[in-house]
């Protein structure tokens, strides 16, 4: 029971931090938002690819999900580099 409450409060704190950061990001200039989004997509693709690569160990058995995850990370990086992943302002 105590571990469950600890996990619950940790999740609430993480959600509060994410909410606070998202409110602060809404108030900054569009140029900085664009730069943050650019960095986010590169980090996201890199971590996704690394996670897929790490999940493939040991190599004795073939893990198709890990291979797909690794390839998706690489595709995200390439698509963002080519400019296909862009968040456009709706206004």
């Amino acid at each position: 029971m105590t571990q469950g409450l600890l996990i619950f409060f940790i999740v609430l704190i993480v959600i509060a931090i994410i909410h606070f950061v998202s409110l602060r990001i809404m108030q900054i200039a569009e140029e900085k938002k664009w730069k943050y989004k650019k960095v986010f997509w590169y980090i996201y693709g890199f971590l996704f690819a690394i996670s897929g690569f790490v999940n493939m160990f040991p190599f004795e058995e073939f893990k198709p999900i890990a291979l797909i995850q690794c390839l998706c990370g690489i595709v995200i990086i390439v698509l963002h580099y080519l400019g296909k992943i862009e968040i456009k302002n709706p206004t």
Side-chain angles (χ1 to χ4, degrees):
M1 178 76 176
T2 321
Q3 287 181 337
L5 283 174
L6 179 65
I7 292 171
F8 175 71
F9 286 119
I10 289 173
V11 168
L12 283 180
I13 290 170
V14 168
I15 290 172
I17 290 170
I18 291 172
H19 179 66
F20 180 75
V21 169
S22 67
L23 287 177
R24 293 291 175 206
I25 288 178
M26 286 174 39
Q27 298 173 355
I28 62 175
E30 285 295 321
E31 295 82 26
K32 276 193 172 183
K33 282 184 194 179
W34 185 78
K35 288 179 185 177
Y36 289 151
K37 290 174 187 176
K38 183 178 177 181
V39 170
F40 167 78
W41 281 111
Y42 282 121
I43 291 173
Y44 181 74
F46 180 72
L47 289 177
F48 208 60
I50 294 297
S51 175
F53 184 73
V54 168
N55 286 334
M56 282 195 258
F57 286 109
F59 288 121
E60 288 87 32
E61 61 182 67
F62 179 68
K63 298 177 184 172
I65 298 297
L67 179 65
I68 292 170
Q69 184 179 3
C70 188
L71 291 176
C72 284
I74 294 170
V75 166
I76 288 171
I77 292 171
V78 170
L79 286 177
H80 185 66
Y81 179 75
L82 295 175
K84 303 295 182 184
I85 298 177
E86 289 185 12
I87 299 172
K88 300 192 183 229
N89 194 1
T91 57

